[in-house]
Amino acid sequence: MKTTFLYCLFLLLAYSGFSQEQGVIRVNPLKENEEELTKQVYKYPSFTNGIVYFKDNATAEAKMNYNRLSGQILFIGTRGDTLAFAHPETFNKVAIGQDTFFYYEKGFLELLTHDPSVNLAKRQTIKYIGQEKSGAYGSYSTVTSVNSSNLYSTDEKMPMKLEIDENSIFKFTNIYYLRDRFGNYFPASKKSFSDLFSHHEKELKNYLREHDINFTREKDLLKLIQYMQSLK
């Protein structure tokens, strides 16, 4: 089964150049930089040894990578094709190199901490958010609510290369979750921390009072969960 989800878009991007600033990628068909683009689409520079652990205790090994556009883990098949797993809901977990991923709500979450109880997990994707049209003196003006279907070819196998000086804007999106020891997921919020660390509610309140915590910022969440884990 060849991957088809979002690959028409990926093929278009492979013909395009881009610039990145503060988690934003600008793709322009007149500025080519395929190598740099590929580095952003995939988590790893190259497909890496990975193991799928199934819920029935079976395992499977392959070269794997996490694709941020599709939110899926892809692998290299026996014929050298890049493939998507058919039934990821049957997985217990996926290990790629030193990283661990879990399948949740039609996508994969990367485990950021490794504790027997509560852990922090992240879903990172790249989302299309709009376009910028070229203006005077090399500037670009943002155009919102652009129909993303303009980026797709009617033939999946033949991407369109639009020779227009416009930037297609893509943004890194990070969503954080707490994972309990039973494999349940909760939004990484003040309420979830309070519920999952109910035995240390006082310490949690003191920490939040003394620290300015942004529950969408990874470094803040890592410091908080590591502190809570240290209280055992």
Side-chain angles (χ1 to χ4, degrees), residues 1-12 42 67 69-75 81-86 151-159:
M1 177 191 66
K2 285 187 179 288
T3 50
T4 56
F5 50 85
L6 294 180
Y7 257 71
C8 183
L9 175 59
F10 172 74
L11 290 172
L12 171 66
Y42 285 106
N67 186 301
L69 275 177
S70 65
Q72 298 296 319
I73 291 175
L74 308 181
F75 70 98
D81 295 334
T82 301
L83 307 172
F85 291 106
L151 296 174
Y152 293 84
S153 167
T154 55
D155 182 349
E156 273 189 350
K157 298 179 181 178
M158 295 296 294

mmCIF file of all heavy atoms in Angstrom, residues 1-12 42 67 69-75 81-86 151-159:
data_model
loop_
_atom_site.group_PDB
_atom_site.id
_atom_site.type_symbol
_atom_site.label_atom_id
_atom_site.label_comp_id
_atom_site.label_asym_id
_atom_site.label_seq_id
_atom_site.Cartn_x
_atom_site.Cartn_y
_atom_site.Cartn_z
ATOM 1 N N MET A 1 0.850 -1.191 0.000
ATOM 2 C CA MET A 1 0.000 0.000 0.000
ATOM 3 C C MET A 1 0.881 1.235 0.000
ATOM 4 O O MET A 1 1.588 1.525 0.941
ATOM 5 C CB MET A 1 -0.870 0.010 1.250
ATOM 6 C CG MET A 1 -1.738 1.255 1.361
ATOM 7 S SD MET A 1 -2.491 1.377 3.005
ATOM 8 C CE MET A 1 -1.003 1.640 3.993
ATOM 9 N N LYS A 2 0.871 1.982 -1.079
ATOM 10 C CA LYS A 2 1.656 3.211 -1.152
ATOM 11 C C LYS A 2 0.918 4.312 -0.398
ATOM 12 O O LYS A 2 -0.283 4.358 -0.381
ATOM 13 C CB LYS A 2 1.885 3.621 -2.611
ATOM 14 C CG LYS A 2 2.922 2.761 -3.336
ATOM 15 C CD LYS A 2 3.190 3.354 -4.702
ATOM 16 C CE LYS A 2 4.225 2.536 -5.433
ATOM 17 N NZ LYS A 2 5.543 2.714 -4.865
ATOM 18 N N THR A 3 1.680 5.173 0.244
ATOM 19 C CA THR A 3 1.045 6.278 0.967
ATOM 20 C C THR A 3 0.469 7.258 -0.017
ATOM 21 O O THR A 3 1.119 7.654 -0.967
ATOM 22 C CB THR A 3 2.076 6.996 1.856
ATOM 23 O OG1 THR A 3 3.207 7.297 1.077
ATOM 24 C CG2 THR A 3 2.463 6.140 3.019
ATOM 25 N N THR A 4 -0.763 7.657 0.238
ATOM 26 C CA THR A 4 -1.400 8.659 -0.607
ATOM 27 C C THR A 4 -1.809 9.882 0.186
ATOM 28 O O THR A 4 -1.925 10.965 -0.370
ATOM 29 C CB THR A 4 -2.655 8.080 -1.287
ATOM 30 O OG1 THR A 4 -3.534 7.586 -0.290
ATOM 31 C CG2 THR A 4 -2.271 6.971 -2.239
ATOM 32 N N PHE A 5 -2.024 9.705 1.531
ATOM 33 C CA PHE A 5 -2.487 10.838 2.302
ATOM 34 C C PHE A 5 -1.420 11.926 2.316
ATOM 35 O O PHE A 5 -0.291 11.701 2.647
ATOM 36 C CB PHE A 5 -2.848 10.413 3.741
ATOM 37 C CG PHE A 5 -1.802 9.613 4.420
ATOM 38 C CD1 PHE A 5 -0.764 10.234 5.076
ATOM 39 C CD2 PHE A 5 -1.848 8.229 4.398
ATOM 40 C CE1 PHE A 5 0.215 9.493 5.696
ATOM 41 C CE2 PHE A 5 -0.874 7.488 5.022
ATOM 42 C CZ PHE A 5 0.158 8.110 5.666
ATOM 43 N N LEU A 6 -1.811 13.116 1.874
ATOM 44 C CA LEU A 6 -0.992 14.316 1.881
ATOM 45 C C LEU A 6 0.263 14.222 1.025
ATOM 46 O O LEU A 6 1.085 15.120 1.040
ATOM 47 C CB LEU A 6 -0.587 14.698 3.320
ATOM 48 C CG LEU A 6 -1.730 15.123 4.210
ATOM 49 C CD1 LEU A 6 -1.186 15.461 5.602
ATOM 50 C CD2 LEU A 6 -2.463 16.311 3.663
ATOM 51 N N TYR A 7 0.443 13.137 0.272
ATOM 52 C CA TYR A 7 1.665 13.029 -0.493
ATOM 53 C C TYR A 7 1.650 13.877 -1.751
ATOM 54 O O TYR A 7 2.694 14.237 -2.264
ATOM 55 C CB TYR A 7 1.982 11.570 -0.803
ATOM 56 C CG TYR A 7 3.064 11.118 0.119
ATOM 57 C CD1 TYR A 7 2.782 10.928 1.470
ATOM 58 C CD2 TYR A 7 4.374 10.987 -0.308
ATOM 59 C CE1 TYR A 7 3.775 10.578 2.347
ATOM 60 C CE2 TYR A 7 5.364 10.632 0.565
ATOM 61 C CZ TYR A 7 5.065 10.424 1.898
ATOM 62 O OH TYR A 7 6.063 10.095 2.767
ATOM 63 N N CYS A 8 0.464 14.184 -2.252
ATOM 64 C CA CYS A 8 0.430 15.133 -3.361
ATOM 65 C C CYS A 8 1.004 16.466 -2.893
ATOM 66 O O CYS A 8 1.773 17.107 -3.592
ATOM 67 C CB CYS A 8 -0.998 15.309 -3.865
ATOM 68 S SG CYS A 8 -1.090 16.390 -5.287
ATOM 69 N N LEU A 9 0.607 16.870 -1.683
ATOM 70 C CA LEU A 9 1.142 18.091 -1.101
ATOM 71 C C LEU A 9 2.637 17.974 -0.879
ATOM 72 O O LEU A 9 3.406 18.880 -1.194
ATOM 73 C CB LEU A 9 0.440 18.390 0.224
ATOM 74 C CG LEU A 9 0.974 19.582 1.017
ATOM 75 C CD1 LEU A 9 0.881 20.844 0.186
ATOM 76 C CD2 LEU A 9 0.204 19.730 2.303
ATOM 77 N N PHE A 10 3.088 16.836 -0.375
ATOM 78 C CA PHE A 10 4.511 16.644 -0.116
ATOM 79 C C PHE A 10 5.317 16.745 -1.403
ATOM 80 O O PHE A 10 6.381 17.355 -1.448
ATOM 81 C CB PHE A 10 4.759 15.282 0.536
ATOM 82 C CG PHE A 10 6.223 14.953 0.661
ATOM 83 C CD1 PHE A 10 7.001 15.589 1.603
ATOM 84 C CD2 PHE A 10 6.813 14.039 -0.189
ATOM 85 C CE1 PHE A 10 8.353 15.301 1.713
ATOM 86 C CE2 PHE A 10 8.156 13.752 -0.088
ATOM 87 C CZ PHE A 10 8.925 14.375 0.867
ATOM 88 N N LEU A 11 4.797 16.155 -2.480
ATOM 89 C CA LEU A 11 5.501 16.207 -3.750
ATOM 90 C C LEU A 11 5.588 17.632 -4.274
ATOM 91 O O LEU A 11 6.597 18.034 -4.851
ATOM 92 C CB LEU A 11 4.804 15.301 -4.771
ATOM 93 C CG LEU A 11 4.945 13.806 -4.500
ATOM 94 C CD1 LEU A 11 4.044 13.026 -5.463
ATOM 95 C CD2 LEU A 11 6.381 13.345 -4.635
ATOM 96 N N LEU A 12 4.514 18.393 -4.076
ATOM 97 C CA LEU A 12 4.570 19.800 -4.463
ATOM 98 C C LEU A 12 5.653 20.521 -3.680
ATOM 99 O O LEU A 12 6.445 21.280 -4.230
ATOM 100 C CB LEU A 12 3.221 20.476 -4.216
ATOM 101 C CG LEU A 12 3.224 22.000 -4.394
ATOM 102 C CD1 LEU A 12 3.493 22.363 -5.845
ATOM 103 C CD2 LEU A 12 1.916 22.586 -3.930
ATOM 104 N N TYR A 42 10.223 15.552 7.860
ATOM 105 C CA TYR A 42 10.498 14.359 8.660
ATOM 106 C C TYR A 42 11.209 14.708 9.959
ATOM 107 O O TYR A 42 12.031 15.630 10.007
ATOM 108 C CB TYR A 42 11.358 13.383 7.868
ATOM 109 C CG TYR A 42 10.605 12.646 6.790
ATOM 110 C CD1 TYR A 42 10.777 12.967 5.447
ATOM 111 C CD2 TYR A 42 9.703 11.627 7.108
ATOM 112 C CE1 TYR A 42 10.093 12.295 4.453
ATOM 113 C CE2 TYR A 42 9.009 10.949 6.124
ATOM 114 C CZ TYR A 42 9.201 11.285 4.799
ATOM 115 O OH TYR A 42 8.512 10.619 3.821
ATOM 116 N N ASN A 67 6.467 11.525 9.885
ATOM 117 C CA ASN A 67 6.153 12.548 8.904
ATOM 118 C C ASN A 67 5.241 13.596 9.553
ATOM 119 O O ASN A 67 4.107 13.295 9.938
ATOM 120 C CB ASN A 67 5.467 11.915 7.697
ATOM 121 C CG ASN A 67 5.242 12.896 6.574
ATOM 122 O OD1 ASN A 67 4.572 13.911 6.754
ATOM 123 N ND2 ASN A 67 5.766 12.596 5.401
ATOM 124 N N LEU A 69 3.843 16.244 8.210
ATOM 125 C CA LEU A 69 2.714 16.676 7.396
ATOM 126 C C LEU A 69 1.505 15.777 7.606
ATOM 127 O O LEU A 69 0.378 16.244 7.749
ATOM 128 C CB LEU A 69 3.094 16.670 5.912
ATOM 129 C CG LEU A 69 3.789 17.920 5.370
ATOM 130 C CD1 LEU A 69 4.165 17.712 3.913
ATOM 131 C CD2 LEU A 69 2.890 19.138 5.517
ATOM 132 N N SER A 70 1.738 14.483 7.614
ATOM 133 C CA SER A 70 0.636 13.533 7.740
ATOM 134 C C SER A 70 0.351 13.156 9.182
ATOM 135 O O SER A 70 -0.725 12.642 9.491
ATOM 136 C CB SER A 70 0.945 12.264 6.945
ATOM 137 O OG SER A 70 2.066 11.597 7.503
ATOM 138 N N GLY A 71 1.329 13.388 10.076
ATOM 139 C CA GLY A 71 1.173 12.955 11.464
ATOM 140 C C GLY A 71 1.284 11.461 11.624
ATOM 141 O O GLY A 71 0.832 10.905 12.622
ATOM 142 N N GLN A 72 1.912 10.798 10.638
ATOM 143 C CA GLN A 72 1.997 9.349 10.657
ATOM 144 C C GLN A 72 3.450 8.878 10.679
ATOM 145 O O GLN A 72 4.366 9.599 10.267
ATOM 146 C CB GLN A 72 1.313 8.764 9.411
ATOM 147 C CG GLN A 72 -0.166 9.076 9.318
ATOM 148 C CD GLN A 72 -0.966 8.446 10.442
ATOM 149 O OE1 GLN A 72 -0.717 7.298 10.813
ATOM 150 N NE2 GLN A 72 -1.925 9.177 10.979
ATOM 151 N N ILE A 73 3.634 7.654 11.138
ATOM 152 C CA ILE A 73 4.940 7.005 11.051
ATOM 153 C C ILE A 73 4.960 6.178 9.772
ATOM 154 O O ILE A 73 4.070 5.354 9.538
ATOM 155 C CB ILE A 73 5.209 6.122 12.288
ATOM 156 C CG1 ILE A 73 5.412 7.014 13.518
ATOM 157 C CG2 ILE A 73 6.438 5.238 12.062
ATOM 158 C CD1 ILE A 73 5.574 6.254 14.816
ATOM 159 N N LEU A 74 5.960 6.413 8.950
ATOM 160 C CA LEU A 74 6.119 5.699 7.688
ATOM 161 C C LEU A 74 7.299 4.736 7.792
ATOM 162 O O LEU A 74 8.181 4.911 8.632
ATOM 163 C CB LEU A 74 6.346 6.683 6.547
ATOM 164 C CG LEU A 74 5.325 7.822 6.418
ATOM 165 C CD1 LEU A 74 5.669 8.709 5.230
ATOM 166 C CD2 LEU A 74 3.914 7.278 6.297
ATOM 167 N N PHE A 75 7.312 3.726 6.936
ATOM 168 C CA PHE A 75 8.421 2.772 6.951
ATOM 169 C C PHE A 75 8.813 2.394 5.525
ATOM 170 O O PHE A 75 8.054 2.602 4.569
ATOM 171 C CB PHE A 75 8.053 1.520 7.758
ATOM 172 C CG PHE A 75 7.016 0.641 7.111
ATOM 173 C CD1 PHE A 75 7.388 -0.481 6.378
ATOM 174 C CD2 PHE A 75 5.659 0.920 7.244
ATOM 175 C CE1 PHE A 75 6.433 -1.295 5.775
ATOM 176 C CE2 PHE A 75 4.692 0.118 6.654
ATOM 177 C CZ PHE A 75 5.091 -0.997 5.918
ATOM 178 N N ASP A 81 9.786 0.799 -1.140
ATOM 179 C CA ASP A 81 8.727 1.799 -1.164
ATOM 180 C C ASP A 81 8.549 2.427 0.222
ATOM 181 O O ASP A 81 8.797 1.793 1.249
ATOM 182 C CB ASP A 81 7.392 1.175 -1.583
ATOM 183 C CG ASP A 81 7.430 0.656 -3.010
ATOM 184 O OD1 ASP A 81 8.236 1.178 -3.792
ATOM 185 O OD2 ASP A 81 6.677 -0.273 -3.326
ATOM 186 N N THR A 82 8.093 3.674 0.235
ATOM 187 C CA THR A 82 7.717 4.324 1.487
ATOM 188 C C THR A 82 6.249 4.041 1.750
ATOM 189 O O THR A 82 5.389 4.406 0.953
ATOM 190 C CB THR A 82 7.948 5.842 1.402
ATOM 191 O OG1 THR A 82 9.326 6.089 1.112
ATOM 192 C CG2 THR A 82 7.594 6.513 2.722
ATOM 193 N N LEU A 83 5.965 3.408 2.870
ATOM 194 C CA LEU A 83 4.625 2.912 3.150
ATOM 195 C C LEU A 83 4.101 3.445 4.479
ATOM 196 O O LEU A 83 4.866 3.852 5.353
ATOM 197 C CB LEU A 83 4.627 1.375 3.194
ATOM 198 C CG LEU A 83 5.224 0.642 1.995
ATOM 199 C CD1 LEU A 83 5.317 -0.844 2.275
ATOM 200 C CD2 LEU A 83 4.380 0.899 0.759
ATOM 201 N N ALA A 84 2.780 3.407 4.637
ATOM 202 C CA ALA A 84 2.121 3.736 5.901
ATOM 203 C C ALA A 84 1.568 2.450 6.508
ATOM 204 O O ALA A 84 1.157 1.541 5.782
ATOM 205 C CB ALA A 84 0.987 4.734 5.678
ATOM 206 N N PHE A 85 1.556 2.371 7.820
ATOM 207 C CA PHE A 85 1.021 1.188 8.482
ATOM 208 C C PHE A 85 -0.494 1.116 8.294
ATOM 209 O O PHE A 85 -1.196 2.121 8.409
ATOM 210 C CB PHE A 85 1.359 1.211 9.969
ATOM 211 C CG PHE A 85 2.824 1.019 10.247
ATOM 212 C CD1 PHE A 85 3.616 2.088 10.641
ATOM 213 C CD2 PHE A 85 3.411 -0.221 10.100
ATOM 214 C CE1 PHE A 85 4.961 1.926 10.894
ATOM 215 C CE2 PHE A 85 4.770 -0.405 10.347
ATOM 216 C CZ PHE A 85 5.547 0.669 10.752
ATOM 217 N N ALA A 86 -0.985 -0.086 8.019
ATOM 218 C CA ALA A 86 -2.401 -0.263 7.695
ATOM 219 C C ALA A 86 -3.308 -0.123 8.918
ATOM 220 O O ALA A 86 -4.372 0.476 8.838
ATOM 221 C CB ALA A 86 -2.623 -1.615 7.025
ATOM 222 N N LEU A 151 -3.477 23.631 -3.877
ATOM 223 C CA LEU A 151 -2.145 23.054 -3.812
ATOM 224 C C LEU A 151 -2.099 21.644 -4.381
ATOM 225 O O LEU A 151 -1.022 21.072 -4.503
ATOM 226 C CB LEU A 151 -1.674 22.998 -2.347
ATOM 227 C CG LEU A 151 -1.491 24.351 -1.668
ATOM 228 C CD1 LEU A 151 -1.164 24.130 -0.205
ATOM 229 C CD2 LEU A 151 -0.397 25.134 -2.337
ATOM 230 N N TYR A 152 -3.236 21.049 -4.711
ATOM 231 C CA TYR A 152 -3.285 19.659 -5.115
ATOM 232 C C TYR A 152 -3.473 19.517 -6.610
ATOM 233 O O TYR A 152 -4.178 20.289 -7.244
ATOM 234 C CB TYR A 152 -4.422 18.927 -4.408
ATOM 235 C CG TYR A 152 -4.228 18.798 -2.932
ATOM 236 C CD1 TYR A 152 -4.594 19.828 -2.071
ATOM 237 C CD2 TYR A 152 -3.658 17.666 -2.376
ATOM 238 C CE1 TYR A 152 -4.402 19.720 -0.709
ATOM 239 C CE2 TYR A 152 -3.459 17.543 -1.013
ATOM 240 C CZ TYR A 152 -3.838 18.571 -0.187
ATOM 241 O OH TYR A 152 -3.646 18.467 1.154
ATOM 242 N N SER A 153 -2.873 18.500 -7.168
ATOM 243 C CA SER A 153 -3.108 18.147 -8.556
ATOM 244 C C SER A 153 -4.319 17.240 -8.641
ATOM 245 O O SER A 153 -4.638 16.525 -7.692
ATOM 246 C CB SER A 153 -1.878 17.430 -9.124
ATOM 247 O OG SER A 153 -2.178 16.822 -10.348
ATOM 248 N N THR A 154 -5.014 17.254 -9.779
ATOM 249 C CA THR A 154 -6.132 16.334 -9.960
ATOM 250 C C THR A 154 -5.637 14.916 -10.135
ATOM 251 O O THR A 154 -6.381 13.963 -9.962
ATOM 252 C CB THR A 154 -6.961 16.733 -11.184
ATOM 253 O OG1 THR A 154 -6.094 16.804 -12.324
ATOM 254 C CG2 THR A 154 -7.614 18.090 -10.975
ATOM 255 N N ASP A 155 -4.360 14.747 -10.477
ATOM 256 C CA ASP A 155 -3.747 13.431 -10.609
ATOM 257 C C ASP A 155 -2.771 13.262 -9.465
ATOM 258 O O ASP A 155 -1.798 13.991 -9.357
ATOM 259 C CB ASP A 155 -3.021 13.327 -11.954
ATOM 260 C CG ASP A 155 -2.389 11.954 -12.176
ATOM 261 O OD1 ASP A 155 -2.335 11.165 -11.218
ATOM 262 O OD2 ASP A 155 -1.945 11.701 -13.312
ATOM 263 N N GLU A 156 -3.019 12.319 -8.564
ATOM 264 C CA GLU A 156 -2.180 12.166 -7.382
ATOM 265 C C GLU A 156 -0.711 11.974 -7.735
ATOM 266 O O GLU A 156 0.171 12.345 -6.987
ATOM 267 C CB GLU A 156 -2.637 10.948 -6.574
ATOM 268 C CG GLU A 156 -3.729 11.244 -5.593
ATOM 269 C CD GLU A 156 -3.973 10.064 -4.693
ATOM 270 O OE1 GLU A 156 -3.443 8.991 -4.960
ATOM 271 O OE2 GLU A 156 -4.711 10.241 -3.710
ATOM 272 N N LYS A 157 -0.454 11.357 -8.889
ATOM 273 C CA LYS A 157 0.915 11.012 -9.230
ATOM 274 C C LYS A 157 1.663 12.170 -9.877
ATOM 275 O O LYS A 157 2.855 12.112 -10.066
ATOM 276 C CB LYS A 157 0.918 9.805 -10.177
ATOM 277 C CG LYS A 157 0.306 8.560 -9.554
ATOM 278 C CD LYS A 157 0.315 7.404 -10.545
ATOM 279 C CE LYS A 157 -0.323 6.165 -9.937
ATOM 280 N NZ LYS A 157 -0.357 5.039 -10.905
ATOM 281 N N MET A 158 0.956 13.229 -10.263
ATOM 282 C CA MET A 158 1.580 14.346 -10.957
ATOM 283 C C MET A 158 1.324 15.644 -10.212
ATOM 284 O O MET A 158 0.250 16.231 -10.320
ATOM 285 C CB MET A 158 1.031 14.459 -12.387
ATOM 286 C CG MET A 158 1.383 13.256 -13.257
ATOM 287 S SD MET A 158 3.172 13.103 -13.517
ATOM 288 C CE MET A 158 3.481 14.580 -14.466
ATOM 289 N N PRO A 159 2.284 16.101 -9.400
ATOM 290 C CA PRO A 159 2.078 17.341 -8.663
ATOM 291 C C PRO A 159 2.121 18.546 -9.585
ATOM 292 O O PRO A 159 2.799 18.542 -10.605
ATOM 293 C CB PRO A 159 3.252 17.368 -7.685
ATOM 294 C CG PRO A 159 4.322 16.608 -8.399
ATOM 295 C CD PRO A 159 3.608 15.521 -9.174
#
